Amino acid sequence: MVGQSEPDPVVAGDVWRRGDEGYEAARQAAVWHQLKPNRYPDVIVRVKNEQDVVEAVRRARKEGLKVKARGGGHSMTASSVRDGLMIDFSEFCEYTIDPQARTATVTPSVTGDDFGAAVREHGLFFPGGHCPGVGLGGFLLQGGFGWNGQAMGMACSSVRAIDVVTADGELIHCDDTTNADYMWAARGSGSGFFGVVTRFYLDLHPLPASILSSLYAYPMDALDDVLPWFLETGPSLPRSVEPFLMCATPPGLDQRLLLVFAVSFTDTEQQGRDALAPFETCPAIDRALEHRYAKPASFDELYAFMSAAAVPGRYCVDGMWTHESPATLVPKFQELFDSFPNPKCHIGFYPWHDADVPNGAFSLQAPLYISPVAVWDDEKDDAHCIEWATGHMRRLEPYSVGIMLADENLVNRPAPFMAPQNLERLEQLRAKYDPSGLFHSYLLS
Ligand SMILES: Cc1cc2nc3c(=O)[nH]c(=O)nc-3n(C[C@H](O)[C@H](O)[C@H](O)COP(=O)(O)OP(=O)(O)OC[C@H]3O[C@@H](n4cnc5c(N)ncnc54)[C@H](O)[C@@H]3O)c2cc1C
């Protein structure tokens, strides 16, 4: 427990009002990174069970407060911290696994890494987020780009049902036939969902028998050889491979590097080695400072690589989906590479195979996703670092079709995140199911 609150006569979990002892600690703990927003909920309810969520929504209605849920607290823009009543799931953290049926249930604050480890004990797999600590709540609602996502598709496609507390304060069960509008919206609307999900019902998948990874570290002066080759190679890779190119300064080094990391998920080791073979063809391969091809990889190792750049600090992330060719894109990125504010900042390039989401709001993707991640320590650098991530994406808007909600930065830069017809349907459903606007929607500038 972060602080003291008065025992509530109805809700089992803690309840803080503005000014209560412990309120500020609870507000700050709702956000994983150090840039805490200047937004203050009137009430924070740290729920312990479904009934607490129902009571919290009913209380908000009675008091005329808007409602926002906080799942795992990993939104980069702290989109769960708004005025009104925050429903904080951090102490309602439960999952169940049925290995025979290959199904599971999770509450929103369960993290992809904890859940993934439990599922793997049964020889099963779920495509959770790439870094430890990412809550499944917000991750699944925005679509979910998880491990082995190139083959599995969006993680929300493995959500078969949800329990939701509606704007009427009722707890309902939703799947593709019952309350199907909610199910559609929960597969991709992200922070714009018009309800509070209390539980997700998931399909699990067989654990791939072979997981291999390759890692190459190139010096920055190999950029002109590495970046175009990587962007050209990405679309031809099999779906069993997840490729990443990160431009980052690894912790402990004083040199920014181009890190090509690729993971294969296959039935046999030979298939994995074959799938990763294209990474051996980089024209700069002889200049690699580190060269590790097709080694068996544990999830601990995969998480360690992906989270190495997720160092403590203040964060601003933006991104772009693009269909543009490497020849067009590469010169446009020079300015971004030349203007890193500090060694904690990094840029990721992710080639992507389209994944349709049947019965889901998720609808915006492209063959390549690019994301600058600004990380810094000092408040005085806020404006400069936010502008680095945001401003370059604004500059490159002519080459972008939109953003991932995973990295939404709408509070600093509006950008498309869903096909127009899906956004229109979402807003029609919101008007139908939440006519008084009880639930906060997207955090816009
Ligand atoms: C280090 C790091 C790594 C990441 N890696 C990945 C990745 O590999 N793939 C990927 O797809 N994304 C990734 N993300 C993005 C992440 O999935 C999103 O930020 C996601 O929204 C986090 O969910 P959360 O529940 O932890 O966040 P929160 O901040 O708690 O919630 C995010 C949004 O979802 C809403 N929400 C959460 N729970 C509920 C609920 N129960 N009912 C209704 N609304 C709810 C909140 O109101 C809020 O608007 C990463 C983020 C970080 C910080």
Side-chain angles (χ1 to χ4, degrees):
M1 200 172 90
V2 168
Q4 296 299 313
S5 67
E6 289 297 312
D8 190 276
V10 182
V11 173
D14 288 303
V15 179
W16 291 273
R17 288 184 179 266
R18 267 186 98 160
D20 284 353
E21 188 186 346
Y23 166 91
E24 183 55 13
R27 188 188 78 92
Q28 297 219 9
V31 184
W32 78 285
H33 65 82
Q34 297 311 310
L35 180 55
K36 310 295 179 183
N38 290 323
R39 298 186 293 273
Y40 293 83
D42 300 83
V43 186
I44 299 173
V45 181
R46 191 167 283 170
V47 293
K48 296 257 191 197
N49 51 48
E50 270 96 351
Q51 195 51 37
D52 278 1
V53 182
V54 171
E55 292 299 339
V57 171
R58 290 182 180 172
R59 186 169 301 185
R61 281 170 57 98
K62 210 159 114 200
E63 296 189 19
L65 299 174
K66 287 177 88 82
V67 174
K68 193 67 177 148
R70 184 268 187 197
H74 267 55
S75 155
M76 291 288 190
T77 55
S79 64
S80 64
V81 181
R82 311 287 284 272
D83 61 18
L85 187 146
M86 178 199 287
I87 297 180
D88 177 351
F89 279 86
S90 56
E91 288 189 4
F92 179 20
C93 197
E94 295 176 4
Y95 59 79
T96 63
I97 298 169
D98 182 339
Q100 273 71 45
R102 291 188 180 173
T103 58
T105 71
V106 293
T107 58
S109 57
V110 172
T111 63
D113 51 318
D114 283 349
F115 178 62
V119 160
R120 287 195 298 279
E121 284 180 19
H122 301 283
L124 296 169
F125 179 79
F126 188 79
H130 295 89
C131 283
V134 178
L136 284 168
F139 169 82
L140 291 170
L141 283 170
Q142 50 87 6
F145 296 84
W147 285 113
N148 201 15
Q150 305 270 349
M152 308 247 78
M154 302 304 296
C156 68
S157 300
S158 297
V159 179
R160 57 164 54 197
I162 47 175
D163 292 336
V164 176
V165 178
T166 66
D168 294 332
E170 301 297 329
L171 179 63
I172 61 170
H173 187 71
C174 316
D175 58 25
D176 286 327
T177 51
T178 308
N179 299 312
D181 286 340
Y182 281 92
M183 193 67 253
W184 177 85
R187 294 195 185 105
S189 64
S191 57
F193 185 66
F194 47 82
V196 180
V197 180
T198 60
R199 205 171 287 268
F200 295 85
Y201 297 75
L202 307 177
D203 288 325
L204 303 176
H205 306 276
L207 180 65
S210 168
I211 301 177
L212 306 180
S213 74
S214 292
L215 174 64
Y216 307 82
Y218 295 102
M220 283 307 293
D221 61 15
L223 182 69
D224 290 346
D225 286 330
V226 176
L227 184 58
W229 159 84
F230 181 83
L231 300 183
E232 271 152 23
T233 304
S236 62
L237 293 167
R239 282 180 182 265
S240 56
V241 172
E242 263 200 87
F244 306 89
L245 170 62
M246 302 247 281
C247 178
T249 307
L253 292 189
D254 56 6
Q255 190 184 3
R256 187 170 295 123
L257 297 173
L258 293 164
L259 301 166
V260 175
F261 186 59
V263 186
S264 64
F265 298 85
T266 54
D267 292 335
T268 69
E269 198 163 317
Q270 189 54 51
Q271 287 170 346
R273 294 177 68 79
D274 292 346
L276 293 172
F279 293 93
E280 293 287 296
T281 66
C282 175
I285 191 101
D286 293 340
R287 296 156 69 196
L289 305 171
E290 184 170 348
H291 179 170
R292 210 180 64 201
Y293 167 57
K295 299 284 183 232
S298 69
F299 269 89
D300 284 348
E301 289 165 331
L302 299 186
Y303 283 124
F305 177 82
M306 293 305 290
S307 59
V311 292
R314 304 161 84 86
Y315 273 71
C316 177
V317 180
D318 210 324
M320 61 185 275
W321 283 116
T322 181
H323 292 273
E324 296 291 342
S325 68
T328 305
L329 282 175
V330 170
K332 311 283 178 233
F333 273 88
Q334 197 57 49
E335 231 180 286
L336 183 61
F337 284 110
D338 288 344
S339 60
F340 274 85
N342 67 58
K344 286 185 164 188
C345 299
H346 50 277
I347 312 172
F349 292 80
Y350 311 103
W352 176 248
H353 293 292
D354 263 18
D356 287 343
V357 174
N359 193 30
F362 179 88
S363 44
L364 205 152
Q365 56 195 326
L368 178 65
Y369 182 70
I370 303 163
S371 175
V373 181
V375 192
W376 67 103
D377 294 316
D378 199 323
E379 189 178 346
K380 74 174 171 32
D381 297 326
D382 283 0
H384 176 59
C385 290
I386 290 171
E387 184 53 21
W388 178 72
T390 309
H392 281 291
M393 291 297 97
R394 193 181 295 117
R395 177 176 64 81
L396 294 165
E397 276 170 3
Y399 310 97
S400 164
V401 292
I403 59 161
M404 270 186 195
L405 280 178
D407 293 335
E408 62 87 5
N409 184 29
L410 299 169
V411 71
N412 293 310
R413 183 178 74 91
F417 52 83
M418 201 181 272
Q421 65 275 19
N422 285 26
L423 190 56
E424 195 183 330
R425 180 175 173 196
L426 180 68
E427 294 313 322
Q428 285 166 355
L429 294 179
R430 186 191 316 285
K432 179 175 173 187
Y433 294 108
D434 182 16
S436 67
L438 181 74
F439 297 110
H440 278 291
S441 183
Y442 300 104
L443 177 62
L444 303 171
S445 50

